[in-house]
Amino acid sequence: MTELNIALALVGATVLAMGLVSRLLNRSVLSPPLLAFLVGVMAGPVLGWLDPARWGDEMAILEQAARLTLGVSLMGIALRLPPRFVFRQGRSLILLLALGMPLMWLASSGLAFGVLDLTLMTALMLGAAVCATDPVVASSIVTGGVATGNLPGRFRHTLSAESALNDGLALPLVMLPILLLGSANAPLQDWLLHVLLWQVVVAVVLGAILGWLAGTALRLAEARDLIDQPSFLVTTLALTVLALGGAKALGTDSILAVFATGIAFDQQVGGKERSEEARVQEAVNLFFTLPVFMLVGLMIPWRDWLALGWAGPALVLSILALRRLPVILLLRPGIGPWRDWPVALLAGWFGPIGVSALFYAMLVHRETGDHSVWVGASLLVAASLLVHGVSAAPLAKYYGRRHGD
């Protein structure tokens, strides 16, 4: 009970302190996720105040915390994007997801296999876990006064949409080596039918139906004056939890279902409703984002990182440099919003690794018991928080000076 109270006080103090200086943080080289991670490191490995291993199954705790954080973040992105943006930029997004994402998976897997002492299947699982652009860290890069004042909307919105979509679509890439490692008689058939068809396609359909029904119900309730302001402001949070729990209960991809729900819901609301829902969702997003990074800081396997020796820094440098940038530059002519070289370079660099990698590393650990994926993924998350967090504001300001209107 003492640790619980310490954890609650630490979370509350951290969120409160960062909220009071949020404008300064947006202009500095220290991003809120990075600071929250450092608070967790200080409270756990350094000072020994908190130890998640004493709370129960720490891997299960992190998996569910990451899933909830991703759900809230994806709903916020769906409400933040311009209306019908994912449909207008469908060709570019399909190229990024259908070709870019598998290439990033193969690049990450090949680098992990070459640098670390891993089997091919383990390298494929690690590569799949870290190939997606994380929507939680990406949101801290593309929102705030510095980003909106210096970075073009076509860069910010496309990065947000890509990170939201590929977060859920990373599931088939993670599950393929897991199924190949398992004892199933027909792993490819199981992958096609259970993973692609049921978990992915059905998740999108269910999410779209749920979002449309919720948006329609909200409009009817407003038209008949059945809803008051407090009920209105919690609508999207309740919808997020409903989509997460319902999709998971049906065995589908709950992460992808939440984004489909948010996009469909967003098509039914607009104007004042849309702006108010987006604001409350962003506030909730901040509250859920910081605690999960504090939890990661508490859990970092620093002894396993040290045991990697030179391979640890080599993995970080190679994947941060080669996982995304070459792929984006290769596909640049087909990605309309990123066709210009300066924007393509920005998009190639800002592909952070974060909560989604933790979620899939926990999934791999639960399904296979493989600890090495968690070690590699957590190291890459910590490095990405540092490198992308520190470089976000300076590069945004540099771009604004050189290329801004």
Side-chain angles (χ1 to χ4, degrees), residues 31 256 287 292 300 378 386 405:
S31 66
L256 192 57
F287 183 80
V292 77
I300 56 169
S378 61
L386 176 62
D405 295 331

Side-chain angles (χ1 to χ4, degrees), residues 39-56:
V39 169
V41 172
M42 290 297 299
V46 176
L47 298 176
W49 291 349
L50 300 170
D51 182 6
R54 294 196 291 262
W55 307 349

Side-chain angles (χ1 to χ4, degrees), residues 89-142:
Q89 298 297 335
R91 182 177 177 181
S92 297
L93 292 173
I94 289 173
L95 182 62
L96 281 168
L97 297 170
L99 187 56
M101 193 172 170
L103 289 175
M104 294 178 203
W105 170 44
L106 295 176
S108 302
S109 301
L111 292 168
F113 183 71
V115 172
L116 301 178
D117 184 19
L118 300 176
T119 65
L120 177 59
M121 289 300 169
T122 301
L124 287 171
M125 290 187 292
L126 176 56
V130 303
C131 73
T133 301
D134 183 63
V136 180
V137 181
S139 291
S140 69
I141 292 172
V142 300

Side-chain angles (χ1 to χ4, degrees), residues 307-326:
L308 293 176
W310 66 270
L315 178 73
V316 168
L317 292 175
S318 60
I319 286 189
L320 291 185
L322 301 176
R323 153 185 162 267
R324 179 175 173 88
L325 182 59

Side-chain angles (χ1 to χ4, degrees), residues 65-377:
R67 189 167 74 96
L68 182 57
T69 302
L70 288 172
V72 173
S73 181
L74 294 188
M75 183 63 75
I77 290 174
L79 298 176
R80 189 173 67 236
L81 289 173
R84 300 191 62 80
F85 180 84
V86 294
F87 305 107
R88 294 199 308 268
Q89 298 297 335
R91 182 177 177 181
S92 297
L93 292 173
I94 289 173
L95 182 62
L96 281 168
L97 297 170
L99 187 56
M101 193 172 170
L103 289 175
M104 294 178 203
W105 170 44
L106 295 176
S108 302
S109 301
L111 292 168
F113 183 71
V115 172
L116 301 178
D117 184 19
L118 300 176
T119 65
L120 177 59
M121 289 300 169
T122 301
L124 287 171
M125 290 187 292
L126 176 56
V130 303
C131 73
T133 301
D134 183 63
V136 180
V137 181
S139 291
S140 69
I141 292 172
V142 300
T143 58
V146 173
T148 55
N150 292 279
L151 299 176
R154 57 197 170 99
F155 162 72
R156 293 183 288 108
H157 300 321
T158 306
L159 182 64
S160 294
E162 179 214 1
S163 65
L165 286 166
N166 69 13
D167 211 49
L169 291 173
L171 178 66
L173 303 182
V174 175
M175 290 303 300
L176 181 58
I178 290 177
L179 290 174
L180 291 174
L181 275 175
S183 58
N185 294 327
L188 292 180
Q189 179 180 338
D190 192 21
W191 183 74
L192 287 171
L193 295 179
H194 181 69
V195 178
L196 281 183
L197 182 59
W198 180 257
Q199 292 189 286
V200 173
V201 175
V202 172
V204 173
V205 174
L206 289 176
I209 293 173
L210 176 60
W212 183 84
L213 290 175
T216 302
L218 178 61
R219 291 173 59 188
L220 292 174
E222 286 190 290
R224 289 164 173 76
D225 198 25
L226 299 175
I227 187 170
D228 58 16
Q229 188 68 8
S231 299
F232 179 81
L233 292 178
V234 301
T235 300
T236 53
L237 179 58
L239 190 59
T240 301
V241 177
L242 174 59
L244 270 178
K248 186 65 174 179
L250 293 172
T252 64
D253 186 345
S254 60
I255 305 301
L256 192 57
V258 169
F259 187 63
T261 300
I263 291 296
F265 176 81
D266 193 46
Q267 308 312 305
Q268 300 297 311
V269 298
K272 177 184 177 183
E273 294 88 351
R274 189 177 196 277
S275 62
E276 289 180 350
E277 293 289 348
R279 281 199 298 271
V280 71
Q281 194 70 20
E282 285 302 313
V284 173
N285 187 27
L286 177 65
F287 183 80
F288 278 94
T289 296
L290 300 183
V292 77
F293 284 111
M294 292 172 62
L295 180 59
V296 176
L298 293 173
M299 290 177 55
I300 56 169
W302 58 271
R303 289 188 178 87
D304 295 315
W305 291 357
L306 293 177
L308 293 176
W310 66 270
L315 178 73
V316 168
L317 292 175
S318 60
I319 286 189
L320 291 185
L322 301 176
R323 153 185 162 267
R324 179 175 173 88
L325 182 59
V327 174
I328 297 300
L329 296 182
L330 175 66
L331 301 180
R332 177 186 62 86
I335 307 173
W338 294 350
R339 194 168 292 148
D340 298 339
W341 274 102
V343 179
L345 290 171
L346 274 178
W349 172 244
F350 284 122
I353 303 170
V355 179
S356 60
L358 299 170
F359 173 74
Y360 286 117
M362 296 300 96
L363 173 63
V364 170
H365 188 275
R366 172 164 52 86
E367 294 290 336
T368 68
D370 195 319
H371 185 70
S372 57
V373 174
W374 155 243
V375 174

